[in-house]
Amino acid sequence: MSVKAYIETNKERFLNELLDLLRIPSVSADPKFKSDVHQAAAFVKESLEKAGVDKAEICSTAGYPIVYGEKIIDPTAPTVLIYGHYDVQPADPYELWDSPPFEPVIKKTDSHPEGAIYARGSADDKGQFYMHVKAFESMLAKNQLACNIKFMIEGEEEVGSENLDLFVKANKEKLQADVVLISDTSMISMDHPSVTVGLRGLAYMQVEVTGPNRDLHSGTYGGAVANPINVLCKLIASLHDEDNKITIPGFYDKVEEYDLAYRTQLNKAPFEEEDYKKKLDIAETSGEKGYSTIERVGIRPTLDVNGIWGGYTAEGAKTVLPSKAYAKVSMRLVPNQDHREIAKLFENHLKAIAPASVKVKVVPHHGGQAAVVPTDSIGYYAAEAAIEEAFGKKAIPTREGGSIPITSLFQQELGLDPILMGFGLDTDAIHSPNEHYGVKNYFMGIETIALFFKHFSSMYGKKQGN
Ligand code: BES
Ligand code: ZN
């Protein structure tokens, strides 16, 4: 029986195991779910053991643990290091879900005629990293595994992977590998498989504007004392000019500008602007002048308010001039922009432009650097070959707008370029209510990853002259 036949025979079990994992509400951002996050780690460890690793361990960190497992079939064979995350985004707002976020159900939709699994984490990233566990199991069971496999599955990706840095730096030997494989990104569509070759970085900030030392009557004091919400709105509005360029001095200094040839190539990827707008129910797209939607997301930096609050927001009216106003702001960054430097520029600029009538406090949250992956490595060729064999199509290299801070850390600390071979779709609603992942994507992913192991081992062997 072939690997493909093994996957086919075990389909139901492969799906049910994932559903069990999706039932664990491993929300890393909310301490309320602490024991669930730990339970998810234990589930992952057990899954790795059942799939056939030599040893699996739960490695504690200052935060949530990292699950590590390895199968060394031959110390001279090439090694694939697999990274993924078992934590998920908060599911709120719950009322916008058609079915409870941690009670997975399979439903058929237009973009997933063969059914999609609806649950928080189905695409990001439980459904995606679990494909690796099943691809590994299948290859091992059929005696086809010709490379060593190491798994590193973390529990803090959605909160900035703050303890991963230390873990990677302290375990370089253990994590030694010839390639890193990650499925935590999207592809263009099932008809247009793609490999992600660039991700943006991130600088996440919180802003606090303080006016008077207490809330005031908006009649008694209004017009005479600065309203921190009014001021905050004005400050934020001033951060973009009329061309939607960011006005923070120095923000673009290190931004890599691409030549026309590269931009033209990027814009050749299949993309239907009309369909994009229709799916989001918007009349127009919007962004930095002079760039296409693909470029705005893939190669240009941004600044977005993620949340803004202050004053009275409950039922009815209350005439109050609030003492404080807050905002959470994220900036997506591109290669060469350093997230710490950008955070500093942001803070300095806000303080410089704030009127003397308020005090401004800026607290940087997590951050991460952008990453670009070369397309002329054995890893990339192996991904191309695997996709070609599974989908019958050549993979298109794409640049995506999301961030996975670990990608640049792997490059820096381990000298390895991660291969970002994800099987999600942009329409999977990750981080939103009704997140889902195609059943077909899941099984095609398992098959393609198994083929990656095969092609990588053989291409690597050829390079070594074996
Ligand atoms: N899977 C996403 C990253 C992603 C999203 C890549 C879309 C490509 C396309 C990942 O789990 C994620 O959400 N990352 C965070 C990073 C942050 C918390 C440091 C993000 O992008 O906001
Ligand atoms: Zn995510």
Side-chain angles (χ1 to χ4, degrees):
M1 188 168 60
S2 67
V3 171
K4 198 170 169 175
Y6 181 89
I7 298 170
E8 188 61 40
T9 311
N10 290 282
K11 251 183 160 165
E12 210 170 298
R13 176 171 60 84
F14 284 7
L15 196 56
N16 285 331
E17 287 177 18
L18 172 59
L19 298 187
D20 283 341
L21 175 59
L22 290 169
R23 285 190 189 97
I24 308 172
S26 48
V27 180
S28 51
D30 187 346
K32 194 168 82 208
F33 296 101
K34 189 169 172 192
S35 72
D36 300 295
V37 183
H38 283 282
Q39 199 199 327
F43 184 105
V44 175
K45 175 175 180 267
E46 211 176 292
S47 308
L48 292 178
E49 283 165 348
K50 281 195 206 143
V53 298
D54 297 325
K55 62 165 186 200
E57 48 188 333
I58 292 188
C59 310
S60 4
T61 72
Y64 287 121
I66 291 159
V67 184
Y68 178 82
E70 64 176 34
K71 175 80 193 172
I72 306 298
I73 49 144
D74 171 1
T76 65
T79 301
V80 180
L81 172 63
I82 291 156
Y83 164 83
H85 62 96
Y86 63 80
D87 65 320
V88 301
Q89 282 276 320
D92 330 54
Y94 278 68
E95 66 278 11
L96 296 184
W97 284 77
D98 295 331
S99 55
F102 299 106
E103 294 171 29
V105 288
I106 296 173
K107 278 187 286 188
K108 293 194 164 98
T109 63
D110 285 351
S111 37
H112 295 287
E114 305 192 19
I117 311 156
Y118 280 76
R120 169 57 85 232
S122 55
D124 183 10
D125 177 44
K126 286 172 172 170
Q128 293 225 60
F129 90 73
Y130 208 71
M131 299 181 307
H132 292 256
V133 183
K134 295 298 104 179
F136 162 71
E137 177 197 314
S138 307
M139 289 292 276
L140 194 65
K142 292 287 103 198
N143 239 324
Q144 296 294 310
L145 196 64
C147 54
N148 303 314
I149 303 283
K150 294 179 175 177
F151 286 95
M152 182 178 106
I153 314 295
E154 71 149 318
E156 296 187 303
E157 198 275 346
E158 299 293 4
V159 287
S161 304
E162 293 198 37
N163 296 294
L164 200 59
D165 213 62
L166 212 66
F167 181 81
V168 171
K169 285 179 181 151
N171 291 283
K172 285 191 183 177
E173 190 77 24
K174 186 181 190 138
L175 300 173
Q176 186 282 323
D178 298 291
V179 71
V180 180
L181 187 61
I182 305 177
S183 298
D184 191 22
T185 49
S186 319
M187 55 181 190
I188 300 172
S189 68
M190 287 298 256
D191 292 332
H192 301 290
S194 54
V195 174
T196 304
V197 296
L199 286 171
R200 289 193 286 192
L202 181 74
Y204 202 107
M205 324 290 293
Q206 182 156 325
V207 182
E208 180 185 313
V209 177
T210 307
N213 58 4
R214 61 177 172 89
D215 286 2
L216 304 174
H217 188 287
S218 70
T220 314
Y221 291 95
V225 176
N227 179 328
I229 300 183
N230 295 11
V231 173
L232 179 59
C233 290
K234 212 165 161 180
L235 291 177
I236 287 171
S238 79
L239 296 177
H240 288 95
D241 70 11
E242 60 283 7
D243 291 335
N244 268 321
K245 295 220 180 272
I246 294 150
T247 56
I248 300 171
F251 185 85
Y252 291 101
D253 281 4
K254 295 188 177 163
V255 166
E256 191 166 354
E257 300 288 343
Y258 293 93
D259 61 19
L260 194 62
Y262 186 78
R263 291 178 62 183
T264 308
Q265 185 58 35
L266 212 57
N267 284 312
K268 276 197 189 137
F271 176 73
E272 298 294 337
E273 183 101 3
E274 285 311 312
D275 183 53
Y276 182 86
K277 292 194 289 195
K278 205 168 134 209
K279 285 207 172 98
L280 299 176
D281 200 9
I282 52 172
E284 274 311 327
T285 54
S286 161
E288 188 181 353
K289 194 174 172 186
Y291 294 92
S292 69
T293 298
I294 287 185
E295 292 172 313
R296 285 169 178 172
V297 171
I299 57 168
R300 300 302 294 168
T302 62
L303 184 153
D304 275 295
V305 180
N306 300 103
I308 183 161
W309 71 103
Y312 184 71
T313 53
E315 229 17 64
K318 179 184 175 193
T319 46
V320 63
L321 195 160
S323 166
K324 285 180 186 290
Y326 303 84
K328 289 185 194 280
V329 177
S330 67
M331 290 168 279
R332 294 283 169 177
L333 310 176
V334 295
N336 300 337
Q337 280 184 302
D338 178 74
H339 73 90
R340 288 175 208 91
E341 236 174 73
I342 294 292
K344 204 73 213 152
L345 289 180
F346 176 90
E347 179 177 355
N348 291 347
H349 180 61
L350 267 202
K351 289 195 165 151
I353 60 169
S357 51
V358 298
K359 293 190 249 339
V360 172
K361 189 170 143 196
V362 177
V363 183
H365 277 261
H366 53 263
Q369 314 292 37
V372 180
V373 182
T375 52
D376 59 354
S377 67
I378 301 183
Y380 192 83
Y381 297 143
E384 273 188 325
I387 287 173
E388 177 99 48
E389 191 173 337
F391 288 82
K393 300 216 166 109
K394 192 167 160 66
I396 300 166
T398 57
R399 305 268 306 241
E400 282 199 88
S403 312
I404 308 177
I406 182 77
T407 41
S408 65
L409 192 71
F410 280 136
Q411 292 174 320
Q412 262 170 43
E413 296 300 326
L414 304 178
L416 295 174
D417 285 314
I419 301 302
L420 301 161
M421 190 170 73
F423 298 90
L425 301 178
D426 282 351
T427 47
D428 286 345
I430 64 169
H431 295 207
S432 301
N434 300 319
E435 175 178 353
H436 55 279
Y437 188 45
V439 173
K440 190 168 175 194
N441 300 57
Y442 180 60
F443 288 111
M444 284 298 279
I446 296 174
E447 192 185 325
T448 312
I449 292 161
L451 289 167
F452 176 90
F453 296 157
K454 178 184 89 170
H455 287 293
F456 186 75
S457 317
S458 99
M459 287 177 176
Y460 198 90
K462 277 189 200 123
K463 185 190 135 205
Q464 308 291 309
N466 302 324

